[in-house]
Structures are given as C-alpha cells and as structure tokens.
Amino acid sequence: MKLIARAIVRLTRSTYSSLKLICLILLLSGCGKSVPENKLDYVGEWQSEEMRLFIARDGTVAYKRWKNGVTTSVNGPITEFIEDDFEVGLLFLTTRFEVSTPPRQVDGIWQMVVDGVMLKKVEE
C-alpha cells in the first residue's frame, strides 16, 4: 500500500511540474510581438567583427557581443519598438537596443548602427 501511495505522490509531483512548465511556455509565447510592417528592414542576420544580431520576422532576437574579453548575449522576443530602438526580453527583464542609424542600403549593402556598432546584413 505504501508503494502505491509513493507512486501516486511522485506522479502528482511530476504532473504538477509538467503543468507549470506548459503554463510558463504558453505565457512566454504570448509576450513577443511580430516585427511591424514599417520595421521589416530590421529582419535578418546582421554582423560585425564584435557583434552578431539576428532578428526574425516573428520578433525573436538572438544577440551576441564580444567586448574587452567579455561576451554578452541576449535571446528573446521583441517587446516593443521605440522609434528606431527596440526592446527585447520577458516581463520586467528587458534590454533596449539603441539604433542610431536604422537599416539602410549603402552601395547595395544593408547597414545599421546598433549600440554604436556598424552592422552589415548577411546576404541570404
């Protein structure tokens, strides 16, 4: 009888943990915003020697920067665009990317300046 009771408790704990995980995934999946039509030039893979930035159409961002021996990375959904800048994160944990030069073509090459770094769009 004790063995059956222990199995039920384990199953209940496992089910509860699974339910928490499913709820968290559903909550976080609704936090991002797709890139608006007037910002579609931001979508794509951008890079320089010290930074990589990928912005997907669905608003997902993957960012990595190497500076003075330190690597910084941010992954998450875009929460909002503020003029040319954009914020990435979840709930109250967000990072603002300052875009001093929005995406534009220069001699046929897409460029933008993010956090003071000139990035070029990787051709697909």
Side-chain angles (χ1 to χ4, degrees):
M1 193 68 160
K2 287 182 181 180
L3 187 59
I4 294 172
R6 286 183 190 160
I8 291 171
V9 169
R10 284 187 191 139
L11 179 60
T12 303
R13 286 182 184 160
S14 174
T15 302
Y16 180 69
S17 296
S18 297
L19 284 174
K20 285 192 319 187
L21 180 61
I22 290 168
C23 288
L24 180 62
I25 290 169
L26 291 173
L27 175 68
L28 296 179
S29 67
C31 292
K33 296 180 180 180
S34 293
V35 176
E37 294 295 321
N38 65 336
K39 301 291 186 184
L40 286 179
D41 290 343
Y42 285 70
V43 172
E45 184 177 351
W46 301 84
Q47 60 182 277
S48 72
E49 287 189 21
E50 66 185 89
M51 184 188 295
R52 301 284 185 271
L53 174 65
F54 175 75
I55 303 172
R57 174 69 175 99
D58 69 0
T60 304
V61 172
Y63 163 88
K64 189 175 264 190
R65 184 173 184 179
W66 303 269
K67 186 175 182 181
N68 299 327
V70 176
T71 301
T72 304
S73 60
V74 174
N75 297 296
I78 292 175
T79 56
E80 71 176 312
F81 277 89
I82 305 151
E83 297 181 14
D84 293 329
D85 300 348
F86 57 96
E87 284 190 349
V88 174
L90 300 169
L91 305 173
F92 58 89
L93 298 173
T94 60
T95 300
R96 185 169 180 162
F97 290 86
E98 294 182 17
V99 180
S100 53
T101 305
R104 62 187 176 140
Q105 278 192 316
V106 177
D107 297 326
I109 299 171
W110 281 95
Q111 301 176 356
M112 78 169 155
V113 178
V114 178
D115 294 338
V117 178
M118 170 65 74
L119 298 172
K120 294 182 180 180
K121 195 172 198 176
V122 176
E123 293 302 318
E124 299 161 14

